[in-house]
Amino acid sequence: MRTAVCFLAAWISLAIVYYAGWALAFDLKRVREMPLTTTIYDRNGAVFRQVFQENRRWVPTAEIPEVLRHAVVATEDRRFYSHIGVDPISVFRAAAGNLLHGHISSGASTITQQLARNSAEMSERTMGRKLKEMFLALRIERTYSKDEILTLYLNRIFWGRDCYGIGSAADAYFGKSPADLTLPEAAMLAGIISGPNSFSPWRSPAKARQAMERSLSRMEERGFITREEQAKALAEPLALRPLRQLPASYAATEAEEEAKRILGEETVERGGLRIETSVDAAFQQTAEAEVERRLTEIEAEPGYPHPTRAAFLQHLGVKEAPGIPYLEGAFVAIRNADGGILALVGGRNYAESRFNRALHSPRQVGSTVKPFVYANAFESINVTAATLVDRSPYDLRTAGPGKTALQSDAPDFVPLRTALAQSNNYASVRIALASGVDHYARLLGAATRTTIPALPSSALGACDVTPLRMTSAFSIFPNGGVRIEPWLISRIVASDGTVLYEHQDRRDPVVSPQVAFQVADLMRTVVDEGTGRALRTMGLQGDIGGKTGTTNAYRDAWFIGFTSEVTAG
């Protein structure tokens, strides 16, 4: 017997040395370190994306109300303010219960022990884990005050539905900051800690209500509230916030990816950053809806010969697909003043295709290049909007300089203004040849930041450019000949208020202000009288210029236009 007692004592001593050593070696900085949610805002301060490993917003001690502290202590750890991290009374009661049941049915974890377990990411249900948890809790209590421990605990724990920490939980369930929680709201949040999914008020309102009532009862028993306050709280209805899911979008995804390129994936996903963008969320939503609406109308036209999105979805029956056989589109809108992207639509439906066509799909641009052909002519040779150009047909495959391309009283000669409004191919190639194809290719390349082949066919749009680059190129005309590099992120701010990144404009002159003015004026005629006049029949008023463009067999169709404030494509 004596030998057995000595052996047991030795074993206990070794266990104490081992687990106490483990707790002493644990880096206590991990107790404070926890992933925070990065939030992406539109230009007006509206939230339109959250990025996180754990959805958490840090809430300091001063913003945690007393009513919530009392509710959590009463519900989770009644002797929190008197024990040393481990509650011997609870341990004895739990041990007796476990022996009675023959297995571990109760853990008797204090708030400090729960903080220790979560900080060390221990989830196994073993005696070894329990001992680590207890020794680490003792060390935490020697390092932090009770208020600090409770603040760390409330910010770290899981509250259900992707919510970590009281900041996310209060916002998700009630649309409030923690400081504004009422007594019944605080009681409900405290009540669901032990089973945030089982007691979820969205999934099981009755169980959530029972959890709230249990918390209120314990608060009254411990003297945190009076019986009258308990009765009043029980009589109040709980106004839950509806489940909120921010819709995915091409603009939000690109803002997230750009932030990761700037600061790194780990910083963005864990850093609790504030990312401010140029996007107008309302504009973005409207643009997405209009792209889908118009393409659906086209698919519904009599005799439409291609697969439709509706038929594709009905046949497939799933949201994600390896290939998209139906008609697609893209849209970009840019603020002329600073190059900020207001809306970015990369396709009809982000859930079905995450490929961003606005950014990553170079397409033949067709006649949208013609304003640059005319800009090159204004820069290179002595022409004006009234200069006459030959629009008579000829074999474009044998295009070469013609002596009679400009200034003749022949019937096929029309002013440059008319030639551009009518989007005449023969006139465009003749203008490009007369003013120099090499110079034109360099000008369009500078405007689009794309390599353009120095060939006569490039004057007809036989070159590939993305919608974003082409739209940005058009913005030089309302901007007095200056190209402003388009951007999404204006500023990134750390959780402590430090500015980590701030956008700086990149501006490059492409053509002179005089040439930009002349070409912009020509494109107003395109809208008023030429191939873009459908805009006027649709009821659009005001100062608008732009250019249409189509490729062979209408495989691609473009329109890029501008007002004094916005260029869109």
Side-chain angles (χ1 to χ4, degrees):
M1 174 65 101
R2 187 175 178 181
T3 303
V5 170
C6 291
F7 177 79
L8 180 61
W11 184 90
I12 292 173
S13 299
L14 285 173
I16 290 173
V17 169
Y18 173 79
Y19 289 111
W22 176 89
L24 286 171
F26 184 84
D27 185 359
L28 275 190
K29 288 192 298 184
R30 289 173 60 185
V31 177
R32 282 195 173 276
E33 292 173 352
M34 52 192 85
L36 301 176
T37 298
T38 288
T39 304
I40 303 177
Y41 297 87
D42 83 340
R43 66 183 301 103
N44 300 310
V47 175
F48 80 112
R49 180 74 154 215
Q50 291 184 319
V51 184
F52 52 82
Q53 290 180 356
E54 294 178 355
N55 183 19
R56 177 185 290 106
R57 179 178 68 83
W58 175 262
V59 180
T61 301
E63 295 179 20
I64 299 175
E66 187 177 71
V67 66
L68 178 65
R69 293 171 172 276
H70 289 168
V72 171
V73 169
T75 306
E76 287 292 305
D77 187 359
R78 62 185 298 181
R79 284 177 286 276
F80 172 69
Y81 287 107
S82 60
H83 64 59
I84 59 172
V86 177
D87 184 353
I89 296 174
S90 296
V91 170
F92 179 78
R93 186 175 61 247
N98 292 336
L99 286 172
L100 184 65
H101 290 91
H103 60 85
I104 297 176
S105 60
S106 175
S109 290
T110 64
I111 283 175
T112 315
Q113 286 177 260
Q114 292 180 56
L115 175 62
R117 180 171 67 246
N118 281 282
S119 299
E121 299 178 355
M122 298 182 289
S123 58
E124 67 277 12
R125 293 176 63 86
T126 64
M127 185 58 70
R129 188 219 77 190
K130 201 68 185 174
L131 290 170
K132 286 181 179 180
E133 177 187 296
M134 293 170 67
F135 280 106
L136 183 54
L138 293 172
R139 188 176 172 213
I140 289 172
E141 288 273 351
R142 291 175 61 85
T143 306
Y144 298 108
S145 69
K146 289 289 186 178
D147 280 349
E148 288 176 317
I149 290 170
L150 190 54
T151 296
L152 290 167
Y153 171 77
L154 291 172
N155 275 285
R156 181 176 283 279
I157 60 172
F158 179 61
W159 298 78
R161 191 68 186 189
D162 287 334
C163 294
Y164 288 82
I166 187 58
S168 294
D171 180 62
Y173 289 114
F174 301 112
K176 292 182 175 182
S177 64
D180 297 324
L181 290 170
T182 64
L183 172 57
E185 290 168 348
M188 194 212 77
L189 288 171
I192 68 174
I193 290 175
S194 60
N197 290 324
S198 300
F199 300 138
S200 168
W202 291 312
R203 292 175 56 184
S204 181
K207 287 185 177 180
R209 180 82 187 179
Q210 290 170 4
M212 181 197 75
E213 292 172 357
R214 185 167 57 252
S215 292
L216 289 170
S217 175
R218 291 180 179 178
M219 291 178 76
E220 192 273 330
E221 288 173 9
R222 279 117 176 112
F224 288 129
I225 60 174
T226 65
R227 187 158 295 180
E228 290 74 19
E229 288 172 322
Q230 178 188 9
K232 183 180 177 182
L234 288 170
E236 288 183 25
L238 275 178
L240 281 178
R241 182 180 193 168
L243 272 173
R244 185 180 67 162
Q245 291 186 326
L246 297 173
S249 78
Y250 295 96
T253 298
E254 181 56 25
E256 177 185 338
E257 293 304 314
E258 187 172 319
K260 290 177 179 178
R261 290 193 290 270
I262 295 170
L263 295 177
E265 184 172 335
E266 185 80 359
T267 302
V268 172
E269 291 186 351
R270 295 175 60 91
L273 309 177
R274 177 186 177 92
I275 300 175
E276 300 168 2
T277 72
S278 60
V279 176
D280 185 314
F283 190 176
Q284 174 74 26
Q285 188 174 12
T286 299
E288 291 172 356
E290 284 301 302
V291 167
E292 169 58 21
R293 181 193 64 79
R294 180 61 186 132
L295 296 185
T296 299
E297 286 181 353
I298 293 171
E299 290 178 336
E301 290 176 357
Y304 182 77
H306 307 294
T308 65
R309 178 170 175 251
F312 172 75
L313 292 178
Q314 186 177 16
H315 172 72
L316 192 66
V318 297
K319 291 184 178 180
E320 191 73 42
I324 300 298
Y326 54 73
L327 186 65
E328 270 291 6
F331 176 83
V332 179
I334 299 172
R335 262 172 53 102
N336 295 333
D338 58 13
I341 297 172
L342 294 169
L344 182 70
V345 182
R348 291 175 68 173
N349 187 285
Y350 182 82
E352 292 161 24
S353 173
R354 299 184 182 183
F355 178 61
N356 194 326
R357 293 155 186 83
L359 294 179
H360 305 303
S361 181
R363 310 291 292 190
Q364 285 208 354
V365 292
S367 293
T368 57
V369 299
K370 289 175 182 175
F372 300 93
V373 172
Y374 287 72
N376 182 55
F378 289 141
E379 290 261 90
S380 304
I381 56 179
N382 189 25
V383 297
T384 69
T387 299
L388 301 176
V389 60
D390 187 0
R391 65 175 179 182
S392 61
Y394 73 107
D395 189 347
L396 293 174
R397 292 172 298 180
T398 60
K403 295 180 180 180
T404 60
L406 303 173
Q407 293 302 92
S408 170
D409 57 3
D412 278 325
F413 278 70
V414 296
L416 265 62
R417 181 181 299 277
T418 302
L420 182 61
Q422 296 175 348
S423 196
N424 187 274
N425 288 339
Y426 304 108
S428 181
V429 173
R430 286 186 172 107
I431 287 289
L433 293 170
S435 56
V437 171
D438 290 347
H439 191 272
Y440 153 72
R442 285 195 296 273
L443 186 152
L444 181 58
T448 61
R449 295 294 189 271
T450 303
T451 301
I452 304 299
L455 301 170
S457 58
S458 294
L460 298 176
C463 46
D464 297 338
V465 185
T466 65
L468 175 63
R469 289 180 181 270
M470 202 65 194
T471 303
S472 174
F474 262 69
S475 71
I476 72 172
F477 299 115
N479 276 343
V482 175
R483 180 187 184 274
I484 307 175
E485 182 70 19
W487 55 273
L488 269 176
I489 296 178
S490 58
R491 201 166 67 134
I492 303 178
V493 183
S495 58
D496 63 359
T498 304
V499 177
L500 303 177
Y501 168 84
E502 196 149 20
H503 169 73
Q504 300 293 326
D505 282 356
R506 289 173 48 193
R507 298 170 180 253
D508 300 296
V510 178
V511 297
S512 69
Q514 295 84 357
V515 167
F517 176 85
Q518 291 180 80
V519 178
D521 190 55
L522 292 185
M523 283 194 280
R524 292 184 182 95
T525 305
V526 172
V527 171
D528 291 336
E529 305 172 11
T531 56
R533 61 186 177 275
L535 288 177
R536 296 302 190 195
T537 63
M538 291 164 57
L540 288 179
Q541 303 299 318
D543 184 20
I544 305 172
K547 185 70 186 75
T548 56
T550 55
T551 62
N552 291 341
Y554 290 92
R555 181 174 181 83
D556 293 289
W558 293 74
F559 179 80
I560 307 176
F562 57 84
T563 66
S564 60
E565 296 182 353
V566 176
T567 299

